[in-house]
């Protein structure tokens, strides 16, 4: 099938052609309230202006106020039928052969904004709750080997359920937000008291996150085979981690201050509809999951992932690892079904992180903890090296699926480390 053509100029290398149309929320730099939009090439299409012009004429969206909101939550709540209706309408409106926007200069100027010069991208949804899973077997094995030795690196329960902890939604920030180095307690040396001060082992974690659409009522689990209809799409996520603080605090209740100081996400939500051509078979699970986790369609997505570090004072960034979403052992639908099996209620806009996505070899490890083996090795970053992140380092994640003549990408998720404030 030939790539779709838009009347909007879409550069060949763009992450955002008609095949993608990811959703976000933006504010015009000239002022006004935040509003929903979709990315097309180097532009954002203002969905509130499209709705105001009466261009959503399908039964679900015609009289809906979902695009006059300051977040995507109301649209997320409407579910797959509304999402599909919106996608078909937007692909038609933006196509090269459709005159409605193409030939109406005033309407076009009202609806389309250059991203780089005219808008500020914001968090796309109000996040009520944030959960972080631990779903990469390679990451689990490496972490277990580092901290417990190679004899039994992965606990028995890991192969029976998607392990997770509840994170801190208030410190989830949009890409481009600086991250201040956290401080806290760390392991004592010999018989001294615990160390207290700035983290000496600040790390990135290469993750993605699922955005919840329709939720479920308290006490009513979501069937694993219906879970896909409760997931709107995916974003890139950097779950920054202070490894020294985390190592001292996590027994017996798990991560706390070592994680809650900051989590960065990319601004554009790529829908599962856009990712459908890149679905692939997920890893075989042994032992067979319990019935509530056994899914008829056991799939991941082929999403290549890359991480770059730009040291302070330099213009060039350096590739430090390449992984892929398809390495996840537990799928996002299994994660969501497990999250609700006890009756827990999810809500539109909830964020479900995958956990660090590591591949099987050194070049595909998803964090510095693995890449440097907890600081025992040096990682080359241009002419310098790293055990863990230094002040001034800027970390950038990117991801892009390669179709036949087109891309479906996520843009970037970036953040710079600032020194601890006094």
């Amino acid at each position: 099938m030939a790539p779709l053509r838009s009347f909007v100029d879409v550069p060949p290398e763009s992450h955002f052609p008609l095949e993608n149309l990811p959703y976000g929320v933006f504010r015009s730099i000239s002022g006004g309230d935040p509003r929903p939009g979709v990315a097309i090439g180097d532009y954002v299409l203002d969905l509130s202006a499209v709705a105001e012009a009466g261009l959503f004429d399908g039964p679900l969206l015609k009289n809906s106020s979902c695009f006059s909101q300051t977040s995507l939550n109301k649209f997320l709540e409407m579910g797959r039928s509304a999402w599909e209706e919106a996608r078909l309408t937007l692909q038609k409106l933006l196509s090269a052969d459709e005159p409605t926007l193409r030939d109406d200069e005033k309407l076009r100027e009202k609806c389309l904004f250059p991203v780089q010069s005219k808008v500020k991208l914001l968090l796309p949804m109000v996040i009520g709750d944030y959960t972080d899973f631990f779903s990469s077997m390679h990451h689990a094995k490496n972490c277990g080997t580092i901290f417990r030795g190679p004899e039994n690196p992965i606990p028995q329960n890991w192969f029976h359920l998607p392990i997770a902890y509840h994170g801190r939604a208030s410190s989830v920030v949009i890409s481009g937000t600086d991250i201040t180095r956290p401080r806290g307690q760390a392991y004592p040396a010999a018989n001294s008291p615990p160390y207290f001060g700035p983290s000496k082992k600040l790390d990135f974690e290469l993750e993605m996150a699922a955005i919840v659409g329709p939720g479920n009522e308290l006490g009513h689990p979501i069937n694993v085979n219906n879970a896909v209809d409760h997931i709107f799409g995916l974003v890139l996520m950097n779950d920054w981690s202070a490894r020294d603080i985390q190592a001292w605090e996590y027994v017996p209740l798990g991560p706390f201050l070592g994680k809650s100081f900051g989590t960065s996400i990319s601004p554009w939500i790529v829908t599962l509809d856009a990712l459908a051509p890149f679905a692939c078979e997920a890893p075989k699970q042994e032992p067979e999951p319990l019935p509530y986790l056994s899914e008829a369609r056991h799939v991941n997505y082929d999403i290549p992932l890359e991480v770059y570090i730009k040291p302070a004072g330099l213009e060039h960034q350096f590739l430090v690892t390449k992984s892929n979403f398809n390495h996840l052992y537990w799928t996002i639908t299994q994660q969501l079904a497990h999250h609700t099996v006890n009756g827990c209620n999810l809500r539109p806009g909830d964020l479900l992180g995958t956990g660090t996505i590591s591949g099987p070899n050194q070049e595909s490890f998803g964090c510095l903890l693995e890449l440097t083996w907890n600081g025992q090795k040096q990682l080359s970053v241009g002419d310098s090296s790293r055990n863990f992140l230094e002040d001034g380092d800027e970390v950038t994640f990117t991801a892009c699926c390669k179709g036949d003549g087109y891309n479906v990408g996520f843009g970037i998720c970036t953040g710079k480390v600032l020194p601890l404030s006094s």
Side-chain angles (χ1 to χ4, degrees), residues 29 50 63 67 105 125 145 155 195 201-202 232-233 244 289 348 353 384 392 401 418:
I29 60 172
V50 173
N63 298 311
F67 295 132
E105 184 178 355
M125 64 283 178
T145 300
Y195 163 82
K201 291 185 175 183
L202 185 59
F232 179 63
D244 42 358
S384 60
C401 306
L418 298 185

Side-chain angles (χ1 to χ4, degrees), residues 245-264:
I245 297 173
Q246 181 182 355
W248 177 235
E249 73 181 1
Y250 86 102
V251 177
L253 290 182
F256 184 37
L257 300 184
K259 297 278 195 177
S260 61
F261 61 92
T263 300
S264 303

Side-chain angles (χ1 to χ4, degrees), residues 71-239:
S71 76
L72 286 168
N73 289 55
K74 187 168 183 177
F75 180 56
L76 299 177
E77 186 177 15
M78 294 177 72
R80 183 156 303 283
S81 295
W83 307 338
E84 291 174 349
E85 182 180 300
R87 180 173 174 81
L88 289 172
T89 298
L90 294 171
Q91 284 187 326
K92 179 182 177 183
L93 284 173
L94 290 166
S95 70
D97 300 325
E98 172 59 43
T100 305
L101 275 178
R102 184 195 65 193
D103 298 346
D104 188 331
E105 184 178 355
K106 288 186 177 180
L107 183 58
R108 204 169 59 244
E109 289 180 355
K110 188 177 181 180
C111 291
L112 283 166
F113 296 83
V115 173
Q116 292 295 328
S117 60
K118 295 293 186 180
V119 307
K120 178 179 177 60
L121 299 175
L122 309 170
L123 280 174
M125 64 283 178
V126 176
I127 304 169
D129 281 296
Y130 155 49
T131 302
D132 196 33
F133 284 86
F134 186 44
S135 294
S136 164
M137 182 172 66
H138 302 296
H139 177 61
K141 182 178 180 181
N142 288 335
C143 290
T145 300
I146 289 170
F147 292 115
R148 294 186 297 275
E151 295 79 15
N152 186 28
I154 304 180
Q156 181 185 10
N157 66 341
W158 193 92
F159 291 99
H160 291 273
L161 55 88
I163 302 292
Y165 73 94
H166 289 283
R168 182 72 186 175
S170 66
S171 53
V172 178
V173 296
I174 196 67
S175 170
T177 305
D178 294 333
I179 298 295
T180 300
R181 183 177 295 274
R183 65 180 173 185
Q185 293 188 32
Y187 262 108
N191 295 321
S192 65
Y195 163 82
F196 178 77
S199 170
K200 299 177 181 180
K201 291 185 175 183
L202 185 59
D203 200 356
F204 64 81
E205 285 198 341
L206 175 58
E207 301 194 26
M208 301 193 79
I211 309 302
V212 175
N216 59 302
E217 293 183 16
L218 184 66
H220 295 267
I222 295 172
N223 185 288
V224 69
N225 292 311
N226 299 329
V228 68
D229 290 329
H230 294 263
I231 299 174
F232 179 63
L234 298 174
V235 294
L236 293 166
M237 188 173 93
N238 184 352
D239 190 23

Side-chain angles (χ1 to χ4, degrees), residues 295-376:
E295 47 191 353
R297 190 167 180 262
H298 184 55
V299 299
N300 278 337
Y301 298 92
D302 180 13
I303 308 174
L305 303 163
E306 296 180 344
V307 179
Y308 295 82
I309 293 177
K310 184 173 75 171
L314 298 185
E315 292 298 319
H316 186 67
Q317 60 182 8
F318 300 93
L319 178 68
V320 294
T321 193
K322 297 173 73 172
S323 188
N324 196 300
F325 186 86
N326 64 19
H327 292 311
L328 287 179
Y329 183 88
W330 293 105
T331 67
I332 54 174
T333 40
Q334 288 177 315
Q335 292 168 33
L336 186 141
H338 180 69
H339 201 315
T340 68
V341 73
N342 68 340
C344 174
N345 56 319
L346 300 180
R347 295 173 293 185
D350 282 356
L351 189 73
L352 306 184
T354 60
T356 302
I357 305 173
S358 294
N361 50 49
Q362 172 80 20
E363 293 75 23
S364 59
F365 292 168
C367 58
L368 290 173
L369 177 72
E370 295 172 82
L371 289 164
T372 70
W373 217 245
N374 198 20
Q376 297 178 45

